Amino acid sequence: MNGMFRVLLLCLCMACLLGVSACSSKRISAYGPSPAVRQYTLGQRVVLAAQQQIGRKYRYGGESPAGGFDCSGLIWWAYRVNGIRVPRVTGDQAGAGVRVSPRRAQPGDILVFKTGRFWGGLHTGLYVGNGRFIHSPSSGKRVRIDSLANEYWGPRLRDVRRVVR
């Protein structure tokens, strides 16, 4: 038993010296995303950041994982962690970047919905792909993915804004 313990201890020490992790095959670098993440487009990386927040609580004015997100805060944060500046509030996000046809939407594009009667009744989400988008819906709800085929969201889509190319 003592000999087996030494072999296991030696293997563990070698693994530590070689930088091998038993829990993860990806290395975290201070110099940017890992090669596995770099293969994605910038828009896809923005979506991946937002998807990591699925389940976080909606909070009016929220713009962080710790405090929760409102709709525009989620978009602002997901772009920001990828080094891109976008406006913080929904009304300004509705005019960010360039307008594209909904048929040409790509992952990371900002979707603008008209949810209220007045000028301020806007909601934003991030296009994920395949007719789906991620957003922080409203008070009492959590960050989630919904479909543009949904009878509520589909008819309310007013604009698609491309911030990254």
Side-chain angles (χ1 to χ4, degrees):
M1 187 86 160
N2 196 11
M4 184 188 292
F5 178 73
R6 284 185 190 171
V7 170
L8 287 173
L9 184 59
L10 180 62
C11 288
L12 180 60
C13 289
M14 290 300 290
C16 289
L17 288 173
L18 293 173
V20 176
S21 171
C23 297
S24 175
S25 62
K26 295 181 186 175
R27 289 184 184 215
I28 298 173
S29 170
Y31 303 104
S34 71
V37 172
R38 278 191 298 244
Q39 72 184 351
Y40 296 112
T41 67
L42 191 50
Q44 289 169 328
R45 290 196 306 261
V46 169
V47 169
L48 288 171
Q51 286 177 324
Q52 292 174 348
Q53 304 311 311
I54 289 176
R56 299 266 184 212
K57 287 185 178 183
Y58 175 92
R59 183 173 69 88
Y60 181 78
E63 57 188 30
S64 73
F69 296 99
D70 64 13
C71 65
S72 59
L74 176 65
I75 292 170
W76 177 83
W77 179 86
Y79 272 102
R80 185 172 148 257
V81 297
N82 280 283
I84 302 165
R85 290 180 178 218
V86 296
R88 170 58 187 88
V89 297
T90 305
D92 293 337
Q93 287 178 358
V98 296
R99 175 181 278 153
V100 296
S101 164
R103 293 183 309 277
R104 299 181 59 98
Q106 295 178 0
D109 287 349
I110 298 173
L111 304 183
V112 181
F113 300 91
K114 181 70 171 157
T115 57
R117 291 186 213 163
F118 305 106
W119 65 270
L122 298 176
H123 178 73
T124 52
L126 281 174
Y127 188 69
V128 172
N130 298 320
R132 299 174 319 140
F133 67 101
I134 186 167
H135 64 131
S136 187
S138 60
S139 184
K141 298 188 178 156
R142 297 176 180 270
V143 173
R144 68 183 191 213
I145 292 178
D146 275 319
S147 172
L148 289 169
N150 177 291
E151 64 184 30
Y152 180 81
W153 294 112
R156 288 172 172 77
L157 179 64
R158 291 295 176 253
D159 207 0
V160 178
R161 308 300 298 188
R162 180 154 305 145
V163 177
V164 296
R165 295 175 191 237

